[in-house]
Amino acid sequence: MCNLKPLNIQYLYSIYEQNMKNKYSIFSLIKNALSGHENWQRAWRDPEPKKEYDVIIIGGGGHGLATAYYLAKKHKLTNIAVIEKGWIGGGNTGRNTTIIRSNYLWDASAGLYDHALKIWEGLSQELNYNVMFSQRGVINLAHNLQDVRDLKRRTHANRLNGIDAAWLSTEEVKKFCPIINTSQNIRYPVLGGTLQRRAGTARHDAVAWGYARSADKMGVDIIQNCEVKGIRRSGDQVEGIETTKGFIKTKKIGVVAAGHSSVLANMAGIRLPLESKPLQALVSEPVKPIIDTVVMSNAVHAYVSQSDKGELVIGAGTDSYVSYTQRGSHNIVEETLRAILELYPIFSRMKMLRQWGGIVDICPDASPIISKTQVKGLYFNCGWGTGGFKATPGSGDLFAHTIANDEPHRLNASFNLNRFVSGDLVDEHGAAAVAH
Amino acid sequence: MFIINCPYCGERDQSEFSCGGEAHIERPKQPTELSDDQWAEYLFMRKNIKGIQFERWNHIHGCRKWFNVVRDTSNDKIHAVYKMGERPPIK
Ligand SMILES: Cc1cc2nc3c(=O)[nH]c(=O)nc-3n(C[C@H](O)[C@H](O)[C@H](O)COP(=O)(O)OP(=O)(O)OC[C@H]3O[C@@H](n4cnc5c(N)ncnc54)[C@H](O)[C@@H]3O)c2cc1C
Ligand SMILES: [Zn+2]
């Protein structure tokens, strides 16, 4: 048994004191409840940019904020700014369907995504911020023989890499998620599926806010409503950035701008292999708990989970063309809902409440880029496309390492920009293409 | 979501078309002489412009012909449509 002390007021007060300093706990909750929740301190400052920083991170999404957090925490660099053109977490971080898993095919990807998954498992404690990480399991369905072969192969590959993975028969799928229509008479019958039990979901906004708050506490300046308009170079070394709040000097820039990565690459005069496309999601009206896992299907392109509020969270596909409109086309949503209805006839009378889009940066091999560039002091973390939320903590950790040491970490060495020249691609279309 | 004016069939919904990506990327004339850098450039590197982009489209659920479109990717407005082999009507 744990070491229980007698509950007396003095003892409670001493714990409360320890937790006072901006730390969230049951005690701070009680105290603030008693004063009508009017005295919570703001979670991060709102500073004006300094003239110069040691490192500037462009993009205040989850990946950018995590990068700043690990730069400060692990590499003791605290003269850092995160520059965000809108509000933090307002990009893809706040628009995704929050699926987290690590069942990718190749060794390099397994290393990368499982590194992130391991950090997720302790993230709420580490950040003292509840990111609501929920390991409810993720099923990937197979609808044809090729799916069955591919998914079984991936299950074996995952196991060899120490990633939990299991193959489920049609009956086992039905048992795990009873509302799936497993009739063999539908257009794309369920022939089985894989299950990763450690996989699940998290609260996307909380990830941005949790990293922001902890980074800010270590001295990182988070500067919102500040758009980067130019990247100044002197020869092959970066000098600083032009922003809507003026010029800011720095020798190291980490760009983490998701759908806008190419726009920033153009400012710096480098080329990237990306295409930016709208990707959509939608949620239904809230209902009672009906699906307690995440079910994805590549072949018919439909995936669904249920939020803690009770909404069905449904992910659709990307549009086929480049666009920065952050909307997406109606026919894409129709196709997804058609597939959802065939797999889950029980949802036929659900009403959809909201639909939105994000701009995802798609790489030719469906793997990300976490890399140095040919410009000294310029680093890019991009190409996460439709599936980077799951990698947020790992991506931040490895990008921070790359920036601090001017060398990649062993786990992101394969995800360099040069692979498009060497041909050493990390083809994850099977694991990543439509599934997120 | 937008309407595309196919040079052969007229105005149709975008969902009838498939996008072939950036236009005017020339196939290498002497593939054997290309360096790895040039191959990377040809195969993978894209402008991915936010703004006026030149791109290829195919009327896949119609006449199945290829043609070019000038589109502003920041608002999906189409500025011009022109046939394969023609010069872009806009700079
Ligand atoms: C609909 C949808 C569903 C998805 N579902 C999943 C999923 O289930 N699981 C999963 O793992 N992934 C999913 N993803 C992908 C995931 O959301 C992204 O890969 C991930 O969130 C990217 O994080 P980020 O921090 O790199 O980007 P973002 O959160 O987009 O942050 C980039 C930031 O850069 C800022 N920025 C851009 N240009 C500038 C500039 N010039 N100056 C200053 N700031 C700038 C932007 O405003 C933005 O806030 C989904 C994406 C979408 C759109
Ligand atoms: Zn036509």
Side-chain angles (χ1 to χ4, degrees):
Chain A
M1 282 296 289
C2 58
N3 196 3
L4 277 177
K5 290 195 185 173
L7 271 180
N8 65 50
I9 299 293
Q10 232 180 343
Y11 171 63
L12 281 179
Y13 196 75
S14 71
I15 301 183
Y16 160 70
E17 284 265 81
Q18 286 163 25
N19 285 287
M20 256 293 282
K21 286 229 149 152
N22 226 347
K23 197 165 178 225
Y24 296 155
S25 68
I26 182 75
F27 303 102
S28 64
L29 192 62
I30 292 169
K31 182 192 167 223
N32 281 286
L34 292 175
S35 57
H37 291 294
E38 284 180 356
N39 298 316
W40 287 103
Q41 286 183 17
R42 62 184 307 155
W44 51 87
R45 296 162 298 131
D46 185 21
E48 282 304 306
K50 293 185 209 157
K51 287 210 164 57
E52 181 172 1
Y53 289 96
D54 295 337
V55 182
I56 289 178
I57 303 297
I58 303 176
H63 289 232
L65 293 162
T67 305
Y69 170 81
Y70 293 110
L71 277 170
K73 175 148 189 241
K74 286 189 156 176
H75 306 281
K76 307 295 170 221
L77 286 160
T78 48
N79 187 26
I80 304 174
V82 176
I83 309 288
E84 166 56 51
K85 72 172 173 177
W87 62 94
I88 59 168
N92 292 347
T93 296
R95 294 165 185 273
N96 72 85
T97 47
T98 79
I99 297 169
I100 296 169
R101 59 190 175 87
S102 64
N103 53 356
Y104 284 67
L105 178 65
W106 300 108
D107 295 356
S109 322
L112 178 69
Y113 290 102
D114 212 51
H115 177 58
L117 186 47
K118 287 188 187 114
I119 305 178
W120 278 114
E121 288 172 334
L123 193 61
S124 291
Q125 283 72 21
E126 178 173 351
L127 296 179
N128 175 234
Y129 205 105
N130 189 359
V131 299
M132 295 166 82
F133 180 49
S134 155
Q135 291 177 295
R136 58 184 69 185
V138 171
I139 297 184
N140 285 87
L141 296 178
H143 295 281
N144 53 52
L145 290 176
Q146 188 59 38
D147 272 0
V148 172
R149 281 189 289 263
D150 286 348
L151 286 175
K152 281 189 173 167
R153 176 188 179 203
R154 189 132 62 79
T155 305
H156 294 312
N158 288 160
R159 287 201 185 148
L160 288 171
N161 279 314
I163 291 170
D164 69 305
W167 170 258
L168 304 184
S169 65
T170 307
E171 293 69 36
E172 287 165 329
V173 167
K174 183 81 182 167
K175 209 165 156 212
F176 199 79
C177 185
I179 60 169
I180 297 182
N181 178 6
T182 48
S183 157
Q184 295 303 298
N185 296 326
I186 62 177
R187 176 71 182 83
Y188 297 103
V190 174
L191 301 185
T194 61
L195 171 63
Q196 184 179 20
R197 284 180 189 272
R198 284 164 64 234
T201 57
R203 166 104 198 269
H204 45 12
D205 297 323
V207 176
W209 297 338
Y211 273 119
R213 175 167 162 270
S214 296
D216 172 87
K217 245 194 242 168
M218 291 184 287
V220 173
D221 281 356
I222 296 168
I223 298 160
Q224 304 185 73
N225 298 311
C226 179
E227 183 170 355
V228 176
K229 293 285 199 183
I231 293 178
R232 210 189 274 175
R233 283 170 57 169
S234 144
D236 65 350
Q237 162 71 49
V238 296
E239 280 191 329
I241 56 172
E242 314 281 357
T243 77
T244 47
K245 296 191 177 181
F247 177 74
I248 313 174
K249 206 171 151 186
T250 188
K251 289 203 177 67
K252 284 189 174 185
I253 299 173
V255 182
V256 207
H260 281 76
S261 300
S262 299
V263 176
L264 285 140
N266 288 342
M267 291 178 195
I270 69 163
R271 299 269 281 161
L272 292 177
L274 301 177
E275 285 193 314
S276 297
K277 297 178 175 179
L279 175 66
Q280 296 175 78
L282 56 162
V283 295
S284 72
E285 59 191 335
V287 290
K288 290 197 170 161
I290 182 74
I291 176 167
D292 62 358
T293 185
V294 182
V295 186
M296 321 186 69
S297 164
N298 281 12
V300 300
H301 203 141
Y303 65 93
V304 63
S305 66
Q306 191 171 16
S307 76
D308 294 343
K309 280 188 282 182
E311 303 150 325
L312 296 180
V313 181
I314 295 172
T318 53
D319 280 298
S320 66
Y321 50 87
V322 168
S323 180
Y324 289 83
T325 52
Q326 222 161 243
R327 283 198 296 261
S329 310
H330 192 63
N331 59 306
I332 304 280
V333 171
E334 272 186 324
E335 278 159 29
T336 293
L337 288 179
R338 223 177 293 155
I340 290 278
L341 287 188
E342 191 168 66
L343 279 176
Y344 311 90
I346 191 176
F347 294 153
S348 67
R349 283 159 56 180
M350 292 282 286
K351 293 186 181 68
M352 294 299 139
L353 279 193
R354 289 180 288 127
Q355 165 277 349
W356 64 89
I359 303 301
V360 296
D361 42 334
I362 296 184
C363 229
D365 59 356
S367 284
I369 296 164
I370 313 173
S371 180
K372 297 164 66 167
T373 64
Q374 70 266 34
V375 181
K376 276 203 203 91
L378 184 64
Y379 308 84
F380 267 84
N381 183 347
C382 58
W384 291 98
T386 60
F389 176 70
K390 63 176 72 67
T392 305
S395 156
D397 182 31
L398 300 171
F399 196 41
H401 179 103
T402 307
I403 294 172
N405 299 298
D406 196 34
E407 275 304 322
H409 186 279
R410 157 181 79 75
L411 288 175
N412 67 305
S414 300
F415 299 95
N416 61 68
L417 191 48
N418 197 53
R419 72 180 188 269
F420 299 97
V421 177
S422 69
D424 199 5
L425 304 181
V426 189
D427 183 357
E428 286 291 355
H429 281 102
V434 278
H436 302 312
Chain B
M1 201 164 173
F2 42 88
I3 304 278
I4 297 177
N5 190 4
C6 171
Y8 307 98
C9 312
E11 290 190 342
R12 299 295 175 87
D13 191 274
Q14 170 267 314
S15 59
E16 286 190 15
F17 299 82
S18 105
C19 184
E22 191 177 321
H24 308 296
I25 297 176
E26 258 182 58
R27 204 181 164 77
K29 291 205 175 66
Q30 311 260 254
T32 49
E33 282 163 29
L34 243 50
S35 69
D36 288 352
D37 277 318
Q38 286 166 319
W39 271 119
E41 186 63 30
Y42 168 66
L43 288 173
F44 300 123
M45 299 302 163
R46 295 295 176 262
K47 290 191 186 129
N48 196 25
I49 284 174
K50 182 177 186 176
I52 302 289
Q53 161 154 304
F54 296 78
E55 56 198 14
R56 297 171 306 165
W57 284 81
N58 184 298
H59 194 182
I60 193 93
H61 299 300
C63 63
R64 302 181 64 87
K65 287 197 174 106
W66 284 96
F67 56 94
N68 298 303
V69 169
V70 186
R71 185 172 56 94
D72 187 337
T73 62
S74 67
N75 57 19
D76 286 344
K77 281 218 175 82
I78 293 182
H79 291 271
V81 174
Y82 57 104
K83 292 182 180 168
M84 279 304 176
E86 286 180 5
R87 280 167 161 270
I90 304 177
K91 266 272 150 86

